[in-house]
């Protein structure tokens, strides 16, 4: 039996994080420069259903039966087995590799889950369609995030720029011209679950005030969609800056994020904001093509622990 692979890219949110949890639209793109890979290797044994999970990045080498129910890798495997219900579960080793930064707003959890579901469903002889993969991955995302909007599993499964709104059919984006994005990691790690809970507490304390911020962020995401399809990158940059100021009002920014955001703007970015859950993790800057090196170097000098440049174009991936 051949080794079966499943892959999924990283992702980054361009507009609309947090407000998306409250029903507003958001825009996210896949980042094909980083990815998660799952490999399924059959184990030749008389014993049925012996499943071994190996993930070098997190120093895991365990039998599925020994992993707790809420372990995200185990949950992804069990969800796929449950979906396909093979009469005789074969014995296999599932190996995982990922170079997507963890807890940095790049969708590493969703990508690992999607890679597992893709590889394992193919191994079991029933490769699942994207819609089903995304739905299963959403269930697993709940273990990572608590109350996820569903944007991560969607963009990572479809590997296309998405305009995402909860409970609405998936909409992909039309992109007028290529744009260059520089993503820099503060090195601070705050789980998304925590920032989502902090925003929820703020919303409960001041529903009207928070709702008006969510509405304003939603309006920015709608305008950004038009602006991307019109190709007006200078205006897109302004929208990023406006989105950042609303994220600061939601108190999910941090001094380290703001230092990198200001560095990028000062080095020639058209706009910059935090991306994802916030209070650390990544910021993202929209950069004119001729300034990508300059902005990347400035971010590195300002202490970013990782800088990635990605291009958004119609043909992504
Ligand atoms: O931290 P990330 O990139 O996984 O993004 C979280 C985005 C939020 O809007 C804050 C939460 C969500 O589930 O959409």
């Amino acid at each position: 039996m051949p080794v079966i692979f499943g892959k999924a890219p990283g992702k980054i949110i361009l507009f609309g994080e947090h407000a998306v949890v409250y029903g507003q639209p958001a825009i996210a793109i896949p980042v094909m420069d980083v990815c998660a890979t799952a490999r399924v290797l059959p184990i030749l044994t008389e014993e049925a259903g012996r499943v071994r999970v190996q993930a070098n990045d997190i120093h895991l080498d365990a039998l599925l039966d020994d992993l707790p129910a809420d372990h995200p890798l185990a949950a992804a495997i069990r969800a796929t087995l449950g979906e396909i219900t093979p009469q005789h579960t074969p014995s296999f080793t599932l190996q995982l590799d990922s170079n997507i930064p963890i807890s940095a707003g790049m969708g590493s959890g969703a990508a690992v889950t999607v890679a597992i579901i893709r590889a394992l469903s193919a191994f079991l002889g029933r490769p699942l369609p994207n819609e089903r993969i995304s739905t299963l991955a959403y269930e697993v995302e709940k273990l990572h995030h608590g109350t996820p909007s569903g944007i991560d599993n969607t963009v990572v499964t479809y590997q296309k720029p998405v305009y995402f709104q909860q409970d609405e059919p998936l909409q992909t984006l039309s992109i007028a011209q290529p744009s260059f994005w520089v993503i820099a990691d503060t090195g601070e790690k705050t789980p998304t679950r925590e920032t989502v809970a902090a925003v929820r507490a703020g919303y409960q304390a001041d529903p009207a005030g928070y709702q008006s911020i969510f509405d304003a962020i939603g309006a920015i995401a709608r305008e950004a969609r038009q602006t991307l399809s019109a190709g007006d990158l200078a205006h897109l940059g302004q929208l990023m800056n406006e989105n950042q100021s609303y994220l600061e009002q939601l108190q999910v920014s941090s001094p380290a994020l703001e230092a990198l955001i200001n560095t990028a703007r000062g080095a020639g970015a058209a706009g910059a904001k935090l991306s994802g859950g916030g209070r650390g993790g990544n910021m993202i800057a929209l950069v004119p093509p001729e300034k990508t090196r300059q902005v990347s170097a400035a971010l590195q000098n300002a202490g970013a622990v990782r800088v990635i440049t990605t291009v958004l174009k119609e043909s992504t991936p």
Side-chain angles (χ1 to χ4, degrees):
M1 250 194 194
V3 177
I4 307 271
F5 287 87
K7 274 185 186 285
K11 74 101 217 314
I12 194 102
I13 297 180
L14 302 187
F15 293 94
E17 50 275 272
H18 287 291
V20 68
V21 176
Y22 297 81
Q24 299 293 334
I27 295 176
I29 61 171
V31 179
M32 307 305 283
D33 315 71
V34 286
C35 76
T37 307
R39 224 177 265 107
V40 186
L41 302 90
I43 302 178
L44 300 174
T45 165
E46 298 290 297
E47 200 184 337
R50 184 183 161 83
V51 178
R52 186 168 169 196
V53 190
Q54 294 178 321
N56 289 338
D57 307 332
I58 53 166
H59 310 290
L60 176 81
D61 186 349
L63 290 177
L64 178 63
D65 287 345
D66 295 335
L67 293 174
D70 63 352
H71 190 290
L73 301 182
I77 297 170
R78 292 195 180 110
T80 314
L81 291 172
E83 174 80 7
I84 297 185
T85 54
Q87 280 182 332
H88 306 286
T89 305
S91 291
F92 61 87
T93 298
L94 191 132
Q95 291 176 340
L96 288 161
D97 283 300
S98 170
N99 61 357
I100 306 174
I102 296 173
S103 291
M106 291 199 69
S108 78
V112 167
T113 301
V114 168
I116 291 176
I117 300 170
R118 263 197 220 300
L120 190 50
S121 63
F123 175 74
L124 295 171
R126 257 195 49 207
L128 294 172
N130 282 339
E131 199 184 341
R132 206 53 215 143
I133 293 177
S134 188
T135 304
L136 290 178
Y138 178 70
E139 291 305 313
V140 179
E141 278 290 282
K142 289 185 186 164
L143 298 174
H144 290 283
H145 284 345
T147 54
S149 61
I151 192 168
D152 279 22
N153 49 285
T154 303
V155 65
V156 158
T157 301
Y158 288 89
Q159 305 186 22
K160 289 197 167 104
V162 297
Y163 178 82
F164 175 89
Q165 198 162 5
Q166 262 178 344
D167 305 323
E168 293 288 329
L170 173 70
Q171 297 183 51
T172 50
L173 281 178
S174 119
I175 309 291
Q177 64 179 87
S179 49
F180 291 74
W181 303 82
V182 178
I183 302 163
D185 191 344
T186 58
E188 288 175 338
K189 291 192 190 302
T190 301
T192 297
R193 181 189 274 281
E194 271 178 36
T195 56
V196 168
V199 171
R200 170 121 6 233
Y203 174 64
Q204 278 159 355
D206 175 16
Y210 271 62
Q211 188 59 51
S212 71
I213 299 175
F214 298 147
D215 290 345
I217 294 177
I220 290 173
R222 277 184 209 98
E223 195 173 338
R225 180 193 200 181
Q226 308 297 338
T227 309
L228 268 169
S229 50
D232 183 349
L233 299 184
H235 185 51
L236 202 61
Q238 283 166 14
L239 291 173
M240 293 178 77
N241 294 341
E242 280 174 37
N243 195 159
Q244 170 61 22
S245 65
Y246 286 114
L247 289 162
E248 286 169 18
Q249 290 180 40
L250 292 178
Q251 296 174 38
V252 293
S253 189
S254 73
L257 278 165
E258 283 159 37
L260 294 184
I261 289 166
N262 290 332
T263 299
R265 289 175 184 159
K273 61 183 275 295
L274 70 85
S275 177
R279 294 196 185 162
N282 280 298
M283 54 72 68
I284 181 163
L286 172 62
V287 181
E290 69 284 2
K291 296 212 171 129
T292 50
R293 275 177 188 229
Q294 189 175 315
V295 172
S296 303
L299 288 166
Q300 243 139 13
N301 290 337
V305 298
R306 187 185 313 94
V307 179
I308 296 172
T309 302
T310 192
V311 184
L312 171 62
K313 48 187 192 298
E314 189 65 84
S315 60
T316 303

